[in-house]
Amino acid sequence: MKIRHILAGLVLSVSWSGMAVAQDCMLRVTTWGGSYQATYQSVAEAFEKANNCRIEWVVGSSPDHLIKARLGQADVVTNTLLNSIAGEKEGLWLPLDPAQIPNMANLYENAVYSKHTVFANVGDYVLAYNTDRIKTAPTSWNDLWSPAYKNAVVIYGIDHIPTLSLTVMEAEQNGGGIDNIEPGLKRMAELLKSGNLVGALDVESQMVSLFETGDAWIGMMATGRMRDLISKGTGNVAFVRPKEGTFPLITSINIHKGTKDPAMAAKFVNYVLSPEVQIAFATRNLYAPTVKNAKVPDDFKLRDLLVQNEAFTRLYLPDQEKITANKAGWQQRLNQMSKR
């Protein structure tokens, strides 16, 4: 009897020990709140069960995520590309090992920023237009300069990434580039002085309203705001992805160098790059997959709003560090040129 009780006690002890080990496994993952966190949490449940590892969500804004990383308070960091680049320069991230993250093999080539940073999902800024006013679909960002669109063009504010990216694109097309931005600034000054702009706006809801009222005929639009127009039943606004490419809105992912369990962190990144997680973010949040083997269902009504396949390869991403470092000076120079 005593032996039986001792053995039973040992079994119970081992069982509780195993549970303790499982509970000890915990990954701290950064996320934005709201719908992004809701999707992240829902897909992470399967990972937690399969790996006996709990996810602790570190919720906040993009700068918060970088601060938490600097303090060693995150293991997997979901963030904007600009903050990932900053963390990379500070030496915060571990290299991403394709042997431990086999789903990296399915990434689009331009979704691998570096050996430390890959894209988790992507939105983009497209060219929206009013089909009542513009019968033939535009094909180029250069259509924003067309004399036919007086007081009918809308763009983001001059210090916003899509407009800054357009400035670099125009520089490249006119004999310059990011290190010789003058031709691009000249083109943007021409647009500002042309009389075409109904607005260069900081608030996206205002852009949506201008397309709803018909005051804007053509302009930049994030795909998320295109969804807003569609959901409101605005049937006379369509969009194209110009031949030069569209400007991406990127969610990046990194592994912190101080994580206690780098192998489990790598497993989680691999899971984020799996087709099922990628499709969840595509269908619930309208963020396009960054892996080629994630097939968005044909019956998903907003499928065309997701940047995929050949359009993904044409995403236009100028050097973000240089843009950030120079944008104040560019804006000052553009203000001078626009007054002439």
CSV table of all heavy atoms in Angstrom, one decimal, residues 200-261:
chain,number,residue,atom,x,y,z
A,200,ALA,N,-4.3,68.6,-49.8
A,200,ALA,CA,-3.2,67.7,-49.4
A,200,ALA,C,-3.4,67.5,-47.9
A,200,ALA,O,-3.1,68.3,-47.1
A,200,ALA,CB,-1.9,68.4,-49.7
A,201,LEU,N,-4.1,66.4,-47.6
A,201,LEU,CA,-4.7,66.2,-46.3
A,201,LEU,C,-4.0,65.3,-45.3
A,201,LEU,O,-3.3,64.4,-45.7
A,201,LEU,CB,-6.2,65.7,-46.5
A,201,LEU,CG,-7.0,66.6,-47.4
A,201,LEU,CD1,-8.4,65.9,-47.7
A,201,LEU,CD2,-7.2,68.0,-46.8
A,202,ASP,N,-4.2,65.6,-44.0
A,202,ASP,CA,-3.6,64.7,-43.0
A,202,ASP,C,-4.6,63.8,-42.4
A,202,ASP,O,-4.2,62.8,-41.8
A,202,ASP,CB,-3.1,65.6,-41.8
A,202,ASP,CG,-2.0,66.6,-42.3
A,202,ASP,OD1,-1.2,66.1,-43.1
A,202,ASP,OD2,-1.9,67.7,-41.8
A,203,VAL,N,-5.9,64.0,-42.6
A,203,VAL,CA,-7.0,63.2,-42.0
A,203,VAL,C,-7.6,62.4,-43.2
A,203,VAL,O,-8.2,62.9,-44.1
A,203,VAL,CB,-8.0,64.1,-41.3
A,203,VAL,CG1,-9.1,63.2,-40.7
A,203,VAL,CG2,-7.3,64.9,-40.2
A,204,GLU,N,-7.5,61.1,-43.1
A,204,GLU,CA,-8.0,60.2,-44.1
A,204,GLU,C,-9.5,60.3,-44.3
A,204,GLU,O,-10.0,60.1,-45.4
A,204,GLU,CB,-7.6,58.8,-43.9
A,204,GLU,CG,-6.1,58.5,-44.1
A,204,GLU,CD,-5.7,57.0,-44.0
A,204,GLU,OE1,-6.2,56.4,-43.1
A,204,GLU,OE2,-5.0,56.6,-44.9
A,205,SER,N,-10.2,60.5,-43.2
A,205,SER,CA,-11.7,60.6,-43.3
A,205,SER,C,-12.1,61.7,-44.2
A,205,SER,O,-13.2,61.6,-44.8
A,205,SER,CB,-12.3,60.7,-41.9
A,205,SER,OG,-11.8,61.9,-41.2
A,206,GLN,N,-11.3,62.8,-44.2
A,206,GLN,CA,-11.7,63.9,-45.1
A,206,GLN,C,-11.5,63.5,-46.5
A,206,GLN,O,-12.3,64.0,-47.4
A,206,GLN,CB,-10.8,65.1,-44.8
A,206,GLN,CG,-11.0,65.7,-43.4
A,206,GLN,CD,-10.0,66.9,-43.1
A,206,GLN,OE1,-9.1,67.1,-43.8
A,206,GLN,NE2,-10.3,67.6,-42.0
A,207,MET,N,-10.5,62.7,-46.8
A,207,MET,CA,-10.3,62.2,-48.2
A,207,MET,C,-11.4,61.4,-48.6
A,207,MET,O,-11.9,61.5,-49.8
A,207,MET,CB,-9.0,61.4,-48.3
A,207,MET,CG,-7.7,62.2,-47.8
A,207,MET,SD,-6.2,61.3,-47.7
A,207,MET,CE,-5.7,61.2,-49.4
A,208,VAL,N,-11.9,60.5,-47.8
A,208,VAL,CA,-13.1,59.7,-48.1
A,208,VAL,C,-14.3,60.5,-48.3
A,208,VAL,O,-15.0,60.3,-49.3
A,208,VAL,CB,-13.3,58.7,-46.9
A,208,VAL,CG1,-14.7,58.0,-47.1
A,208,VAL,CG2,-12.2,57.7,-46.7
A,209,SER,N,-14.5,61.6,-47.5
A,209,SER,CA,-15.6,62.4,-47.7
A,209,SER,C,-15.6,63.2,-49.1
A,209,SER,O,-16.6,63.3,-49.7
A,209,SER,CB,-15.7,63.5,-46.6
A,209,SER,OG,-15.9,62.8,-45.3
A,210,LEU,N,-14.4,63.6,-49.5
A,210,LEU,CA,-14.3,64.3,-50.7
A,210,LEU,C,-14.6,63.4,-51.9
A,210,LEU,O,-15.2,63.9,-52.9
A,210,LEU,CB,-12.9,64.9,-50.9
A,210,LEU,CG,-12.5,66.1,-50.0
A,210,LEU,CD1,-11.0,66.4,-50.1
A,210,LEU,CD2,-13.3,67.3,-50.5
A,211,PHE,N,-14.3,62.1,-51.8
A,211,PHE,CA,-14.7,61.2,-52.9
A,211,PHE,C,-16.2,60.9,-52.8
A,211,PHE,O,-16.8,60.7,-53.9
A,211,PHE,CB,-13.9,59.9,-52.8
A,211,PHE,CG,-12.5,59.9,-53.5
A,211,PHE,CD1,-11.4,60.1,-52.8
A,211,PHE,CD2,-12.5,59.8,-54.9
A,211,PHE,CE1,-10.1,60.2,-53.5
A,211,PHE,CE2,-11.3,59.8,-55.6
A,211,PHE,CZ,-10.1,60.0,-54.8
A,212,GLU,N,-16.7,60.8,-51.6
A,212,GLU,CA,-18.2,60.6,-51.5
A,212,GLU,C,-19.0,61.7,-52.1
A,212,GLU,O,-20.0,61.5,-52.8
A,212,GLU,CB,-18.5,60.5,-50.0
A,212,GLU,CG,-18.2,59.1,-49.4
A,212,GLU,CD,-18.7,59.1,-47.9
A,212,GLU,OE1,-18.1,59.8,-47.1
A,212,GLU,OE2,-19.6,58.4,-47.6
A,213,THR,N,-18.5,62.9,-51.9
A,213,THR,CA,-19.3,64.1,-52.4
A,213,THR,C,-19.0,64.4,-53.8
A,213,THR,O,-19.7,65.2,-54.4
A,213,THR,CB,-19.0,65.4,-51.5
A,213,THR,OG1,-17.5,65.6,-51.6
A,213,THR,CG2,-19.3,65.2,-50.1
A,214,GLY,N,-18.0,63.8,-54.4
A,214,GLY,CA,-17.7,64.0,-55.8
A,214,GLY,C,-16.7,65.2,-56.0
A,214,GLY,O,-16.4,65.5,-57.1
A,215,ASP,N,-16.3,65.8,-54.9
A,215,ASP,CA,-15.4,66.9,-55.0
A,215,ASP,C,-14.0,66.4,-55.5
A,215,ASP,O,-13.2,67.2,-56.1
A,215,ASP,CB,-15.3,67.7,-53.7
A,215,ASP,CG,-16.5,68.4,-53.3
A,215,ASP,OD1,-17.0,69.2,-54.1
A,215,ASP,OD2,-17.1,68.1,-52.3
A,216,ALA,N,-13.6,65.2,-55.1
A,216,ALA,CA,-12.3,64.6,-55.5
A,216,ALA,C,-12.6,63.7,-56.6
A,216,ALA,O,-13.5,62.8,-56.5
A,216,ALA,CB,-11.6,63.9,-54.4
A,217,TRP,N,-11.9,63.8,-57.7
A,217,TRP,CA,-12.1,62.9,-58.9
A,217,TRP,C,-11.0,61.8,-58.9
A,217,TRP,O,-11.2,60.7,-59.4
A,217,TRP,CB,-12.0,63.7,-60.2
A,217,TRP,CG,-13.1,64.7,-60.4
A,217,TRP,CD1,-14.1,65.0,-59.6
A,217,TRP,CD2,-13.3,65.4,-61.6
A,217,TRP,NE1,-14.9,66.0,-60.1
A,217,TRP,CE2,-14.4,66.3,-61.4
A,217,TRP,CE3,-12.6,65.5,-62.8
A,217,TRP,CZ2,-14.9,67.2,-62.4
A,217,TRP,CZ3,-13.0,66.4,-63.8
A,217,TRP,CH2,-14.2,67.2,-63.5
A,218,ILE,N,-9.8,62.2,-58.4
A,218,ILE,CA,-8.7,61.3,-58.5
A,218,ILE,C,-7.7,61.6,-57.4
A,218,ILE,O,-7.6,62.7,-56.9
A,218,ILE,CB,-8.0,61.4,-59.9
A,218,ILE,CG1,-6.9,60.3,-60.0
A,218,ILE,CG2,-7.4,62.8,-60.1
A,218,ILE,CD1,-6.4,60.2,-61.5
A,219,GLY,N,-7.0,60.6,-56.9
A,219,GLY,CA,-6.1,60.8,-55.8
A,219,GLY,C,-5.6,59.5,-55.1
A,219,GLY,O,-6.1,58.4,-55.4
A,220,MET,N,-4.7,59.8,-54.2
A,220,MET,CA,-4.2,58.7,-53.3
A,220,MET,C,-5.3,58.2,-52.4
A,220,MET,O,-6.1,58.9,-51.9
A,220,MET,CB,-3.0,59.1,-52.5
A,220,MET,CG,-1.8,59.5,-53.2
A,220,MET,SD,-0.6,60.2,-52.1
A,220,MET,CE,0.9,60.2,-53.1
A,221,MET,N,-5.2,56.9,-52.1
A,221,MET,CA,-6.1,56.3,-51.1
A,221,MET,C,-5.6,55.0,-50.5
A,221,MET,O,-5.2,54.1,-51.3
A,221,MET,CB,-7.5,56.0,-51.8
A,221,MET,CG,-8.6,55.6,-50.8
A,221,MET,SD,-9.1,56.8,-49.6
A,221,MET,CE,-10.0,58.0,-50.7
A,222,ALA,N,-5.5,54.9,-49.2
A,222,ALA,CA,-5.1,53.6,-48.6
A,222,ALA,C,-6.2,52.6,-48.9
A,222,ALA,O,-7.4,53.0,-48.9
A,222,ALA,CB,-4.9,53.8,-47.1
A,223,THR,N,-5.9,51.4,-49.1
A,223,THR,CA,-6.9,50.3,-49.3
A,223,THR,C,-7.9,50.2,-48.2
A,223,THR,O,-9.1,49.9,-48.5
A,223,THR,CB,-6.2,49.0,-49.6
A,223,THR,OG1,-5.2,48.7,-48.6
A,223,THR,CG2,-5.5,49.0,-51.0
A,224,GLY,N,-7.5,50.5,-47.0
A,224,GLY,CA,-8.4,50.4,-45.9
A,224,GLY,C,-9.5,51.5,-46.0
A,224,GLY,O,-10.7,51.2,-45.7
A,225,ARG,N,-9.2,52.6,-46.6
A,225,ARG,CA,-10.2,53.7,-46.8
A,225,ARG,C,-11.0,53.4,-48.0
A,225,ARG,O,-12.2,53.8,-48.1
A,225,ARG,CB,-9.5,55.1,-47.0
A,225,ARG,CG,-8.6,55.5,-45.8
A,225,ARG,CD,-9.3,55.7,-44.5
A,225,ARG,NE,-9.8,54.5,-43.9
A,225,ARG,CZ,-9.1,53.7,-43.2
A,225,ARG,NH1,-7.8,53.8,-43.1
A,225,ARG,NH2,-9.6,52.6,-42.6
A,226,MET,N,-10.4,52.7,-49.0
A,226,MET,CA,-11.2,52.2,-50.1
A,226,MET,C,-12.3,51.3,-49.6
A,226,MET,O,-13.5,51.3,-50.1
A,226,MET,CB,-10.4,51.5,-51.2
A,226,MET,CG,-9.6,52.4,-52.1
A,226,MET,SD,-10.7,53.4,-53.2
A,226,MET,CE,-11.8,52.2,-53.9
A,227,ARG,N,-12.0,50.4,-48.7
A,227,ARG,CA,-13.0,49.5,-48.1
A,227,ARG,C,-14.1,50.4,-47.4
A,227,ARG,O,-15.3,50.0,-47.5
A,227,ARG,CB,-12.3,48.7,-47.0
A,227,ARG,CG,-13.3,47.8,-46.2
A,227,ARG,CD,-12.6,46.9,-45.2
A,227,ARG,NE,-11.8,47.6,-44.3
A,227,ARG,CZ,-11.0,47.1,-43.4
A,227,ARG,NH1,-10.9,45.8,-43.3
A,227,ARG,NH2,-10.3,47.8,-42.5
A,228,ASP,N,-13.7,51.5,-46.8
A,228,ASP,CA,-14.8,52.3,-46.2
A,228,ASP,C,-15.7,52.8,-47.2
A,228,ASP,O,-17.0,52.8,-47.0
A,228,ASP,CB,-14.1,53.5,-45.5
A,228,ASP,CG,-13.3,53.1,-44.3
A,228,ASP,OD1,-13.4,52.0,-43.8
A,228,ASP,OD2,-12.5,54.0,-43.8
A,229,LEU,N,-15.2,53.2,-48.4
A,229,LEU,CA,-16.1,53.7,-49.5
A,229,LEU,C,-17.0,52.6,-50.0
A,229,LEU,O,-18.2,52.9,-50.2
A,229,LEU,CB,-15.2,54.3,-50.6
A,229,LEU,CG,-14.6,55.7,-50.4
A,229,LEU,CD1,-13.5,56.0,-51.4
A,229,LEU,CD2,-15.6,56.8,-50.4
A,230,ILE,N,-16.4,51.4,-50.1
A,230,ILE,CA,-17.2,50.3,-50.6
A,230,ILE,C,-18.3,50.0,-49.6
A,230,ILE,O,-19.5,49.7,-50.0
A,230,ILE,CB,-16.3,49.1,-50.9
A,230,ILE,CG1,-15.4,49.4,-52.1
A,230,ILE,CG2,-17.1,47.8,-51.2
A,230,ILE,CD1,-14.2,48.4,-52.3
A,231,SER,N,-17.9,49.9,-48.4
A,231,SER,CA,-18.9,49.6,-47.3
A,231,SER,C,-20.1,50.6,-47.2
A,231,SER,O,-21.2,50.3,-46.8
A,231,SER,CB,-18.2,49.4,-46.0
A,231,SER,OG,-17.8,50.7,-45.5
A,232,LYS,N,-19.8,51.8,-47.6
A,232,LYS,CA,-20.8,52.9,-47.6
A,232,LYS,C,-21.7,52.9,-48.9
A,232,LYS,O,-22.6,53.7,-49.0
A,232,LYS,CB,-20.1,54.2,-47.5
A,232,LYS,CG,-19.5,54.5,-46.1
A,232,LYS,CD,-18.9,55.8,-46.0
A,232,LYS,CE,-18.3,56.1,-44.6
A,232,LYS,NZ,-17.7,57.4,-44.5
A,233,GLY,N,-21.3,52.0,-49.8
A,233,GLY,CA,-22.1,51.9,-51.0
A,233,GLY,C,-21.8,52.9,-52.1
A,233,GLY,O,-22.6,53.2,-53.0
A,234,THR,N,-20.5,53.5,-52.0
A,234,THR,CA,-20.1,54.4,-53.0
A,234,THR,C,-19.7,53.7,-54.2
A,234,THR,O,-18.5,53.3,-54.4
A,234,THR,CB,-18.9,55.3,-52.4
A,234,THR,OG1,-19.3,55.8,-51.1
A,234,THR,CG2,-18.6,56.5,-53.4
A,235,GLY,N,-20.6,53.6,-55.2
A,235,GLY,CA,-20.3,52.7,-56.3
A,235,GLY,C,-19.6,53.4,-57.5
A,235,GLY,O,-19.2,52.7,-58.5
A,236,ASN,N,-19.4,54.7,-57.4
A,236,ASN,CA,-18.7,55.4,-58.5
A,236,ASN,C,-17.2,55.7,-58.2
A,236,ASN,O,-16.7,56.6,-58.9
A,236,ASN,CB,-19.5,56.7,-58.8
A,236,ASN,CG,-19.4,57.7,-57.7
A,236,ASN,OD1,-19.1,57.3,-56.5
A,236,ASN,ND2,-19.7,59.0,-58.0
A,237,VAL,N,-16.6,55.0,-57.2
A,237,VAL,CA,-15.2,55.2,-57.0
A,237,VAL,C,-14.5,53.9,-57.2
A,237,VAL,O,-14.8,52.9,-56.5
A,237,VAL,CB,-14.9,55.8,-55.6
A,237,VAL,CG1,-13.4,55.9,-55.3
A,237,VAL,CG2,-15.6,57.1,-55.4
A,238,ALA,N,-13.6,53.8,-58.1
A,238,ALA,CA,-12.8,52.6,-58.4
A,238,ALA,C,-11.3,52.9,-58.1
A,238,ALA,O,-11.0,54.1,-57.7
A,238,ALA,CB,-13.0,52.2,-59.8
A,239,PHE,N,-10.5,52.0,-58.3
A,239,PHE,CA,-9.0,52.2,-58.0
A,239,PHE,C,-8.2,51.4,-59.0
A,239,PHE,O,-8.6,50.4,-59.5
A,239,PHE,CB,-8.7,51.9,-56.6
A,239,PHE,CG,-8.6,50.4,-56.3
A,239,PHE,CD1,-7.4,49.7,-56.3
A,239,PHE,CD2,-9.8,49.7,-55.9
A,239,PHE,CE1,-7.4,48.3,-56.1
A,239,PHE,CE2,-9.8,48.3,-55.7
A,239,PHE,CZ,-8.6,47.6,-55.7
A,240,VAL,N,-6.9,51.8,-59.1
A,240,VAL,CA,-6.0,51.1,-59.9
A,240,VAL,C,-4.6,51.1,-59.2
A,240,VAL,O,-4.4,51.9,-58.3
A,240,VAL,CB,-5.7,51.7,-61.3
A,240,VAL,CG1,-7.0,51.6,-62.2
A,240,VAL,CG2,-5.3,53.1,-61.2
A,241,ARG,N,-3.8,50.1,-59.5
A,241,ARG,CA,-2.4,50.1,-59.1
A,241,ARG,C,-1.6,50.6,-60.3
A,241,ARG,O,-1.4,49.8,-61.2
A,241,ARG,CB,-2.0,48.8,-58.5
A,241,ARG,CG,-2.7,48.4,-57.2
A,241,ARG,CD,-2.2,47.2,-56.6
A,241,ARG,NE,-2.7,47.1,-55.2
A,241,ARG,CZ,-3.9,46.5,-54.8
A,241,ARG,NH1,-4.6,45.8,-55.7
A,241,ARG,NH2,-4.2,46.5,-53.5
A,242,PRO,N,-1.1,51.8,-60.2
A,242,PRO,CA,-0.3,52.4,-61.4
A,242,PRO,C,0.9,51.5,-61.8
A,242,PRO,O,1.4,50.7,-61.0
A,242,PRO,CB,0.1,53.7,-60.9
A,242,PRO,CG,-0.9,54.1,-59.9
A,242,PRO,CD,-1.2,52.8,-59.2
A,243,LYS,N,1.3,51.7,-63.0
A,243,LYS,CA,2.4,50.9,-63.6
A,243,LYS,C,3.7,51.1,-62.8
A,243,LYS,O,4.5,50.2,-62.8
A,243,LYS,CB,2.6,51.3,-65.1
A,243,LYS,CG,2.9,52.7,-65.3
A,243,LYS,CD,3.0,53.1,-66.8
A,243,LYS,CE,3.3,54.6,-67.0
A,243,LYS,NZ,3.3,54.9,-68.4
A,244,GLU,N,3.8,52.2,-62.2
A,244,GLU,CA,5.1,52.5,-61.4
A,244,GLU,C,5.1,51.7,-60.1
A,244,GLU,O,6.1,51.7,-59.4
A,244,GLU,CB,5.3,54.0,-61.1
A,244,GLU,CG,5.3,54.9,-62.4
A,244,GLU,CD,3.9,55.4,-62.7
A,244,GLU,OE1,2.9,54.9,-62.2
A,244,GLU,OE2,3.8,56.4,-63.5
A,245,GLY,N,4.0,51.2,-59.7
A,245,GLY,CA,3.9,50.5,-58.4
A,245,GLY,C,3.1,51.4,-57.4
A,245,GLY,O,2.8,52.5,-57.6
A,246,THR,N,2.7,50.7,-56.3
A,246,THR,CA,2.0,51.4,-55.2
A,246,THR,C,2.9,51.5,-54.0
A,246,THR,O,4.0,50.9,-53.9
A,246,THR,CB,0.7,50.7,-54.8
A,246,THR,OG1,1.0,49.3,-54.5
A,246,THR,CG2,-0.3,50.8,-56.0
A,247,PHE,N,2.5,52.4,-53.0
A,247,PHE,CA,3.3,52.6,-51.8
A,247,PHE,C,2.9,51.8,-50.7
A,247,PHE,O,1.7,51.9,-50.3
A,247,PHE,CB,3.3,54.1,-51.5
A,247,PHE,CG,3.5,55.0,-52.7
A,247,PHE,CD1,2.5,55.9,-53.1
A,247,PHE,CD2,4.7,54.9,-53.4
A,247,PHE,CE1,2.7,56.7,-54.2
A,247,PHE,CE2,4.9,55.8,-54.5
A,247,PHE,CZ,3.9,56.6,-54.9
A,248,PRO,N,3.7,50.9,-50.1
A,248,PRO,CA,3.3,50.0,-49.1
A,248,PRO,C,3.1,50.6,-47.7
A,248,PRO,O,3.8,51.5,-47.3
A,248,PRO,CB,4.4,48.9,-49.1
A,248,PRO,CG,5.6,49.7,-49.5
A,248,PRO,CD,5.1,50.7,-50.5
A,249,LEU,N,2.2,50.0,-47.0
A,249,LEU,CA,2.1,50.2,-45.5
A,249,LEU,C,2.4,48.9,-44.9
A,249,LEU,O,1.6,47.9,-44.9
A,249,LEU,CB,0.6,50.6,-45.2
A,249,LEU,CG,0.3,50.9,-43.8
A,249,LEU,CD1,1.0,52.2,-43.3
A,249,LEU,CD2,-1.2,51.2,-43.7
A,250,ILE,N,3.6,48.8,-44.2
A,250,ILE,CA,4.2,47.5,-43.9
A,250,ILE,C,4.1,47.3,-42.4
A,250,ILE,O,4.4,48.1,-41.5
A,250,ILE,CB,5.7,47.5,-44.3
A,250,ILE,CG1,5.8,47.6,-45.8
A,250,ILE,CG2,6.4,46.3,-43.8
A,250,ILE,CD1,7.1,48.0,-46.3
A,251,THR,N,3.7,46.0,-42.0
A,251,THR,CA,3.9,45.5,-40.7
A,251,THR,C,5.1,44.6,-40.8
A,251,THR,O,5.1,43.6,-41.5
A,251,THR,CB,2.7,44.7,-40.2
A,251,THR,OG1,1.5,45.5,-40.2
A,251,THR,CG2,2.9,44.1,-38.8
A,252,SER,N,6.1,44.8,-39.9
A,252,SER,CA,7.3,44.0,-39.9
A,252,SER,C,7.4,43.2,-38.6
A,252,SER,O,6.6,43.4,-37.7
A,252,SER,CB,8.6,44.9,-40.0
A,252,SER,OG,8.5,45.9,-39.0
A,253,ILE,N,8.3,42.2,-38.6
A,253,ILE,CA,8.4,41.4,-37.4
A,253,ILE,C,9.9,41.1,-37.1
A,253,ILE,O,10.6,40.9,-38.1
A,253,ILE,CB,7.5,40.1,-37.6
A,253,ILE,CG1,7.4,39.4,-36.2
A,253,ILE,CG2,8.1,39.2,-38.7
A,253,ILE,CD1,6.2,38.4,-36.2
A,254,ASN,N,10.2,41.1,-35.9
A,254,ASN,CA,11.6,40.8,-35.4
A,254,ASN,C,11.6,39.9,-34.2
A,254,ASN,O,10.6,39.9,-33.4
A,254,ASN,CB,12.3,42.1,-35.1
A,254,ASN,CG,12.3,43.1,-36.2
A,254,ASN,OD1,11.5,44.0,-36.3
A,254,ASN,ND2,13.3,43.0,-37.1
A,255,ILE,N,12.7,39.3,-33.9
A,255,ILE,CA,13.0,38.6,-32.6
A,255,ILE,C,14.0,39.3,-31.8
A,255,ILE,O,15.1,39.7,-32.3
A,255,ILE,CB,13.4,37.1,-32.9
A,255,ILE,CG1,12.4,36.4,-33.7
A,255,ILE,CG2,13.8,36.4,-31.6
A,255,ILE,CD1,12.8,34.9,-34.1
A,256,HIS,N,13.6,39.6,-30.6
A,256,HIS,CA,14.6,40.4,-29.7
A,256,HIS,C,15.7,39.5,-29.3
A,256,HIS,O,15.6,38.3,-29.0
A,256,HIS,CB,13.8,40.9,-28.5
A,256,HIS,CG,14.6,41.9,-27.7
A,256,HIS,ND1,15.5,41.5,-26.7
A,256,HIS,CD2,14.6,43.2,-27.8
A,256,HIS,CE1,16.0,42.6,-26.2
A,256,HIS,NE2,15.5,43.7,-26.8
A,257,LYS,N,16.9,40.1,-29.3
A,257,LYS,CA,18.2,39.4,-29.0
A,257,LYS,C,18.2,38.9,-27.6
A,257,LYS,O,18.9,37.9,-27.3
A,257,LYS,CB,19.4,40.3,-29.3
A,257,LYS,CG,19.5,41.4,-28.3
A,257,LYS,CD,20.8,42.2,-28.6
A,257,LYS,CE,20.9,43.4,-27.6
A,257,LYS,NZ,22.1,44.2,-27.8
A,258,GLY,N,17.4,39.5,-26.7
A,258,GLY,CA,17.4,39.0,-25.3
A,258,GLY,C,16.4,38.0,-24.9
A,258,GLY,O,16.2,37.7,-23.7
A,259,THR,N,15.6,37.5,-25.9
A,259,THR,CA,14.6,36.6,-25.6
A,259,THR,C,15.1,35.3,-24.9
A,259,THR,O,16.2,34.8,-25.3
A,259,THR,CB,13.8,36.1,-26.8
A,259,THR,OG1,12.8,35.2,-26.5
A,259,THR,CG2,14.7,35.5,-27.9
A,260,LYS,N,14.4,34.8,-23.9
A,260,LYS,CA,14.9,33.6,-23.2
A,260,LYS,C,14.8,32.3,-24.0
A,260,LYS,O,15.4,31.3,-23.7
A,260,LYS,CB,14.2,33.5,-21.8
A,260,LYS,CG,14.5,34.7,-20.9
A,260,LYS,CD,13.7,34.5,-19.6
A,260,LYS,CE,14.0,35.6,-18.6
A,260,LYS,NZ,13.2,35.5,-17.4
A,261,ASP,N,13.9,32.4,-25.0
A,261,ASP,CA,13.6,31.2,-25.7
A,261,ASP,C,13.6,31.5,-27.2
A,261,ASP,O,12.5,31.6,-27.8
A,261,ASP,CB,12.3,30.5,-25.3
A,261,ASP,CG,12.1,29.1,-25.8
A,261,ASP,OD1,12.8,28.7,-26.7
A,261,ASP,OD2,11.2,28.4,-25.3
